[in-house]
Structure formats: structure tokens, C-alpha cells
Amino acid sequence: MERRMKEVIRYLGYGNHAVEAQTLEMIESSLLELEEKTSAKSFYRIFDIEREADEKVTIGIMHIESRNLSKNLKGCEKAVLFGATLGAGADRLMQYYSLTDMGKTVILQACAAAMLEEYCDECQDEIADAAAKDGYFIRPRFSPGYGDFDIRHQKALINMLELPKRIGLTLTDACMMVPTKSVTAVIGLSKEKISCHRHGCEVCTKIDCQYRRN
């Protein structure tokens, strides 16, 4: 089974349970619809990192107090600020089905999440290749709202990247991204080569999570 399909099934919470043929067909049709309606875009910039204390880092003009992010960026001289979106088409498609078929909407949500993750992985590979030319290695991407990295840093990150102009990504007063199937993240750049885990499940200690990747 292809990776994207496996990811959708994981997002739907099936775990190791068998998936009904009808659901598999709906996943396949949903992925096709999303591919027709979405237009993935991304943008990133590289900034210097300054450390003020063990749990405080400054990236460009963004001052962050986060033990988790600081640990993720240990040994890094620079950081990539990154944003990506599937575009408004995914939101419109899910809104349409939310009025007619909630089951389909749930599957579309999972499909869009898997597609966005796959797209971000592709972008990360491109960033890694570009960084390698300057002798840098990347660290795992780390998004606002993860751990103790305050979600309110979304605003500064989006403004620093000019994402409304670059890829049409905006933020509500409640720090919700529009379009909803969007991601912002910090990716550390270090001269030290270490293993870069692309996905969270490999390093997460919550082994009983129903969404855990095997």
C-alpha cells in the first residue's frame, strides 16, 4: 500500500485494524478530488540564531522562550523559517461536503493532512539539498504550537516570511491559519551531522497513541 494511503488511514485512527473496501474507495476518490482542487505552495528564508539563555533563542527579530525548540536547535547557527499551504481549494472542497456528507468530510480532512505532510517532506528534502551545498545539515522541522513553542509565534513567523503575499497564507486573531491546510515551521541548520527524524512518531514517547505510525 502506498505511503500516502497509509498516512490517511493512520490519520483516520484505524491503527492495525482492517479498513473496509468502501472506505478505501472513498479515500482514493478523495485524494483524486484534492489533487484537482489544490495548488500547493511554499516559501522559506534563512535567519541567524542567537542564544540568550538555555531556553531562549532569537531567530531574526523573533524572540522565543521554549525549552523544546531550544533543544531542537542545539548546535545550530542558523534557522530556516518555512511556510506551506495546499491553498484555498482544499477548504472549499471540505466546506462543500460538510453540507452534504460529513463522512466524506472526515476522510477529506485526513487526505489533506497526509498530502500536506508529504508536500512538506518534499520541500524539506529540497531545503536539505540546498543547505548541504553550504556545508549545513538540517534538523527536524518544529512548528509553533508543538510542545512549549507558543502558537502565538505564528504571527511573527508569517510576517517575517511575508506569507500573505508569497503564498496567500494568513492568520486569524485566534492564531488559526487560513487556508486551514497550512503549516509553518522552524528548521535548524547545523554544521554537525546528526540523524534528522522527518516524522514525529519516531521520537514521541506516547506509545499508546491511536494515530502512531508503526
Side-chain angles (χ1 to χ4, degrees):
M1 188 181 298
E2 65 171 316
R3 176 186 161 194
R4 185 186 287 182
M5 180 70 80
K6 289 181 179 179
E7 285 295 280
V8 175
I9 291 170
R10 182 176 70 85
Y11 281 122
L12 289 171
Y14 275 90
N16 292 321
H17 299 288
V19 186
E20 305 87 352
Q22 183 179 358
T23 300
L24 290 173
E25 290 176 4
M26 193 176 292
I27 291 172
E28 291 178 351
S29 65
S30 296
L31 287 169
L32 288 173
E33 284 186 83
L34 281 167
E35 287 174 352
E36 292 176 357
K37 300 294 184 180
T38 57
S39 178
K41 296 179 181 178
S42 66
F43 185 74
Y44 73 90
R45 282 177 175 158
I46 299 174
F47 296 86
D48 290 330
I49 292 177
E50 293 182 12
R51 293 189 175 274
E52 303 171 28
D54 288 343
E55 299 183 4
K56 295 181 179 180
V57 295
T58 297
I59 302 173
I61 61 171
M62 184 165 54
H63 304 284
I64 307 164
E65 185 171 353
S66 166
R67 177 178 57 84
N68 298 136
L69 179 63
S70 182
K71 181 180 179 181
N72 184 268
L73 297 177
K74 184 178 180 181
C76 294
E77 302 173 9
K78 299 177 182 293
V80 175
L81 297 190
F82 168 78
T85 182
L86 292 184
D91 284 1
R92 287 194 292 267
L93 190 62
M94 288 183 287
Q95 184 177 13
Y96 169 78
Y97 279 108
S98 70
L99 302 174
T100 59
D101 189 341
M102 282 306 300
K104 174 83 167 182
T105 305
V106 171
I107 288 178
L108 280 168
Q109 288 276 4
C111 289
M115 288 177 66
L116 180 60
E117 184 76 8
E118 183 178 76
Y119 177 64
C120 288
D121 288 344
E122 292 171 358
C123 293
Q124 183 171 302
D125 287 341
E126 292 177 4
I127 291 170
D129 290 342
K133 294 177 182 178
D134 294 322
Y136 286 97
F137 301 93
I138 68 168
R139 299 291 174 85
R141 59 181 184 268
F142 204 97
S143 296
Y146 186 77
D148 62 354
F149 185 13
D150 199 316
I151 196 169
R152 289 175 293 183
H153 287 295
Q154 293 274 34
K155 183 176 181 180
L157 198 158
I158 285 174
N159 287 339
M160 290 168 70
L161 292 179
E162 302 177 292
L163 293 184
K165 179 177 70 175
R166 300 287 183 176
I167 61 174
L169 174 55
T170 60
L171 198 67
T172 69
D173 291 339
C175 293
M176 301 297 291
M177 287 182 286
V178 181
T180 58
K181 292 308 176 186
S182 304
V183 165
T184 61
V186 177
I187 303 172
L189 296 178
S190 172
K191 293 286 188 178
E192 179 185 1
K193 185 176 183 180
I194 63 169
S195 177
C196 176
H197 295 284
R198 175 177 282 171
H199 302 295
C201 293
E202 286 83 349
V203 294
C204 180
T205 58
K206 188 171 175 54
I207 60 174
D208 60 343
C209 175
Q210 66 174 321
Y211 302 109
R212 188 174 182 85
R213 183 182 295 104
N214 294 321

